[in-house]
Amino acid sequence: MEVLFPRLVKPTRSLALRVLEDGGIESQLDDVALAIFARSQIEALLRRSVFPGEVIGIVTEPCIQSAIALLAGIAGGYVVLPLDPKLGPLALRHILADARPRLIATPFPERMDSLLCDLHGVEVLRIEMRAGEGSALEPRPLLDTASLLLYTSGTTSTPKGVLHSSKAIAACIDGLAAVWNWTSEVDIVHSLPLFHVHGLVLGLFGAIRRGGALHWLTRFSPEGIKQTIEGIKPPRKAVLFAVPTMYHRLAQVMATDPEVRNALASTHMLVSGSAPLPLRDAEAVSAQIGKTIIERYGMTETLITLAVPFGVERAGHVGWPIPGVEVRLVDEKRQPIEVADGLTPGEIAVRGPTLFLGYLNQSKATKEAMDEEGWFYTGDLAVRAPDGAFRIVGRRSTDLIKSGGYRIGSLEVEAALLEHPQVLEAAVIGAPDPDLGERIVAFVVVKDPINLPSDLDQHVARLLSPHKRPREVHFVTSLPRNAMGKIQKSVLREWMAKA
Ligand code: MCA
Ligand code: AMP
């Protein structure tokens, strides 16, 4: 029987998880200890009569307990709903109402908004690290039913729940393993949150499935990345997974800090994803350490589908389809574009075992995104080189912003701004940013222009999550509208370009 995490069923005493928390707290677990704690977590759920197949929320606090609970939930057959620990009430209310988790597990129940949980009748369970009744997990076969529920922004004012099976997770990790030669000698280093695909599916589930360790630095800093990499000694091979913003910051620090430079140079592989890696940052890193950053492309709905293989130099490209996955470009009528000239753009369509099962409670949106032949339309625009390598060139919807690697819907931020008592109208766009890729810029009409509110960023951070806050707010007397009354965001973009 094929299971998702073989080492938790037959633990062998190899290092599985090293977590470097803020404030210097470091914890390490081998796979025996990890299996023991994961098992006790599953037993705690069963004692509360929460059974496999039910949705459980897990607050992904930056600490080892949350990582254990995420692994236990998936391995125990639950539908795991990872929750950003900084979710504000507007976002949390929507997710609880839509996903209806049976229970929320968190290391810090005291931080949960109990009023909100009461409102939705959700029980809260403290994640504790204690020994269970056995030292290994019961084997559970890979299934094509729901096992992971991730919320991601779309072009509506509320995020959608994306359902994935354990089979899709395994297909993604194994496909990447084939092109990267990702063996049990590889240790993953990352400093990403555990409520999205990158940090969770690739970083945590990937490392545990492949048999090496995950070294998780819970708050990103170049110094922390240096120390984390230094903790990995040969014959172990360090592989860094990071978003472009992190490489941008590492490149800047490396220029004056030889220790950070040496640490990065000592890695086996550097991988970037979640957003476009600017060529200048890629070149700044490779010029300093003599190593090329490998890119791969994915999406919450498709998991990772394109990757540059290990050892292949392909600057500016996100590579080829991973084994088992089909990727093609289509025109506006969704007809395939056969030409591979590196010039003709088309929308990326994906088919294969890594695709999601559908959006929760949104059959219409699922049908719109996926056709009868099983192709999913990503909304990303790319060109294909004669050798088949894809290069991302843009995105269909300008209502989706990628900031620091996070996907943020402009309508969601506008809805939050409109909750502010001073705000009459709001329009949000993404503006090019050398550090974040795009930064969220808000244009706002207020009730009282004499007393301009100074707390709009905090207001959005509190209601949604800090990474969705506007980094720049412009107060205007009116928003540009067309004859139909629709806000003309292209005009706002022109203003920004000229400013
Ligand atoms: C600052 N803070 C505030 C405010 N200003 N809070 C409230 N109101 C304000 N006005 C706080 C924040 O809460 C946070 O608090 C601290 O300041 C720093 O936050 P911030 O400035 O936002 O951080 P940053 O330095 O800009 O973060 C950059 C980052 C981050 C580390 C690169 O963007 C990041 O982790 N990105 C990863 C995104 C990711 O994983 N994407 C994967 C999606 P405190 O001090 O408490 O923390 S999956 C995907 O895309 C697909 C599948 C794929 O292909 O991978
Ligand atoms: P998310 O839903 O947060 O997983 O974001 C998925 C989106 O991130 C994709 O639709 C792309 O727009 C973007 N993305 C992911 N990886 C890359 C990459 N390597 N280069 C450019 N864009 C990327």
Side-chain angles (χ1 to χ4, degrees):
M1 179 201 304
E2 194 186 354
V3 301
L4 191 56
F5 305 123
R7 68 195 303 178
L8 297 185
V9 174
K10 282 193 185 149
T12 58
R13 288 255 167 242
S14 57
L15 178 66
L17 197 55
R18 172 171 165 241
V19 180
L20 298 101
E21 285 175 37
D22 222 15
I25 305 163
E26 185 176 329
S27 9
Q28 290 199 33
L29 295 178
D30 64 17
D31 43 24
V32 172
L34 183 57
I36 288 173
F37 292 135
R39 191 176 166 119
S40 91
Q41 181 63 28
I42 296 169
E43 286 163 3
L45 291 169
L46 294 173
R47 270 198 304 278
R48 298 228 182 177
S49 302
V50 181
F51 297 110
E54 293 192 279
V55 179
I56 55 164
I58 295 173
V59 184
T60 63
E61 293 283 355
C63 61
I64 198 160
Q65 289 93 324
S66 293
I68 296 170
L70 289 160
L71 290 163
I74 292 274
Y78 292 90
V79 182
V80 168
L81 164 66
L83 294 167
D84 171 0
K86 290 187 179 153
L87 271 185
L90 193 63
L92 191 57
R93 197 180 304 140
H94 163 68
I95 292 177
L96 292 185
D98 193 47
R100 302 201 167 276
R102 175 72 170 69
L103 171 147
I104 293 181
T106 169
F108 308 114
E110 58 283 2
R111 290 187 197 164
M112 283 305 295
D113 189 334
S114 53
L115 196 72
L116 209 54
C117 289
D118 286 350
L119 214 64
H120 292 275
V122 186
E123 211 178 315
V124 178
L125 171 72
R126 184 186 294 276
I127 305 170
E128 282 173 313
M129 285 172 71
R130 57 161 70 130
E133 284 164 18
S135 57
L137 296 191
E138 302 296 336
R140 279 187 167 273
L142 291 178
L143 293 175
D144 44 24
T145 50
S147 108
L148 182 64
L149 175 55
L150 294 168
Y151 275 78
T152 190
S153 299
T155 51
T156 57
S157 60
T158 48
K160 290 197 277 277
V162 172
L163 286 163
H164 274 290
S165 67
S166 52
K167 265 196 185 163
I169 295 169
C172 168
I173 296 166
D174 297 353
L176 286 170
V179 294
W180 288 344
N181 192 21
W182 187 352
T183 63
S184 59
E185 278 193 334
V186 166
D187 276 5
I188 301 298
V189 173
H190 85 62
S191 184
L192 297 154
L194 296 188
F195 51 87
H196 282 309
V197 167
H198 198 163
L200 179 69
V201 176
L202 256 62
L204 179 63
F205 298 163
I208 301 304
R209 180 165 172 82
R210 295 312 305 157
L214 168 65
H215 301 247
W216 181 37
L217 175 70
T218 64
R219 179 193 289 270
F220 172 78
S221 72
E223 176 64 23
I225 291 288
K226 181 203 83 176
Q227 285 173 9
T228 311
I229 294 172
E230 283 174 350
I232 300 171
K233 308 284 180 215
R236 315 270 340 137
K237 297 171 175 172
V239 169
L240 176 65
F241 287 169
V243 294
T245 301
M246 294 173 178
Y247 285 112
H248 175 80
R249 294 180 188 180
L250 283 165
Q252 283 181 328
V253 172
M254 262 193 276
T256 55
D257 188 334
E259 289 187 5
V260 173
R261 196 161 60 230
N262 291 341
L264 270 273
S266 76
T267 56
H268 175 63
M269 185 163 87
L270 301 171
V271 185
S272 174
S274 299
L277 177 68
L279 221 46
R280 61 176 181 279
D281 291 327
E283 282 167 0
V285 171
S286 57
Q288 295 188 70
I289 64 169
K291 244 189 188 85
T292 307
I293 301 172
I294 278 179
E295 281 194 79
R296 94 297 175 284
Y297 158 88
M299 199 175 174
T300 305
E301 289 88 335
T302 64
L303 303 179
I304 308 308
T305 51
L306 294 169
V308 175
F310 175 66
V312 173
E313 295 272 333
R314 213 63 177 84
H317 291 71
V318 293
W320 293 263
I322 62 167
V325 171
E326 291 174 87
V327 179
R328 68 185 189 188
L329 296 180
V330 296
D331 63 19
E332 290 192 348
K333 292 188 179 130
R334 293 188 169 176
Q335 293 305 305
I337 296 173
E338 304 297 348
V339 53
D341 56 2
L343 295 169
T344 312
E347 180 177 356
I348 298 180
V350 180
R351 183 163 73 173
T354 62
L355 281 197
F356 71 138
L357 299 167
Y359 295 114
L360 181 70
N361 304 324
Q362 305 235 17
S363 51
K364 187 165 169 266
T366 308
K367 275 205 190 100
E368 276 166 13
M370 217 171 329
D371 71 16
E372 282 163 3
E373 290 175 4
W375 289 98
F376 172 79
Y377 297 90
T378 62
D380 287 311
L381 303 173
V383 296
R384 197 171 30 170
D387 62 1
F390 287 80
R391 184 163 64 85
I392 311 288
V393 295
R395 195 185 306 128
R396 266 208 199 295
S397 170
T398 48
D399 278 327
L400 283 180
I401 300 168
K402 263 273 159 170
S403 189
Y406 286 112
R407 168 166 143 189
I408 299 151
S410 58
L411 273 65
E412 198 186 339
V413 182
E414 287 163 11
L417 285 166
L418 289 170
E419 297 267 320
H420 192 282
Q422 266 269 35
V423 174
L424 281 179
E425 290 177 65
V428 165
I429 59 167
D433 187 278
D435 179 46
L436 296 169
E438 287 181 293
R439 68 178 179 285
I440 301 178
V441 179
F443 293 83
V444 176
V445 181
V446 289
K447 284 182 191 157
D448 176 6
I450 307 293
N451 297 304
L452 295 175
S454 59
D455 63 340
L456 291 181
D457 56 344
Q458 279 166 53
H459 166 81
V460 175
R462 214 171 30 238
L463 280 185
L464 297 177
S465 186
H467 64 267
K468 295 187 175 173
R469 72 187 189 275
R471 307 281 171 138
E472 212 175 298
V473 178
H474 296 274
F475 295 101
V476 290
T477 49
S478 66
L479 292 171
R481 290 180 188 273
N482 64 15
M484 311 287 288
K486 194 173 180 308
I487 297 170
Q488 290 174 299
K489 292 201 176 174
S490 53
V491 174
L492 298 176
R493 271 184 214 101
E494 278 164 30
W495 286 356
M496 286 303 295
K498 282 188 200 141

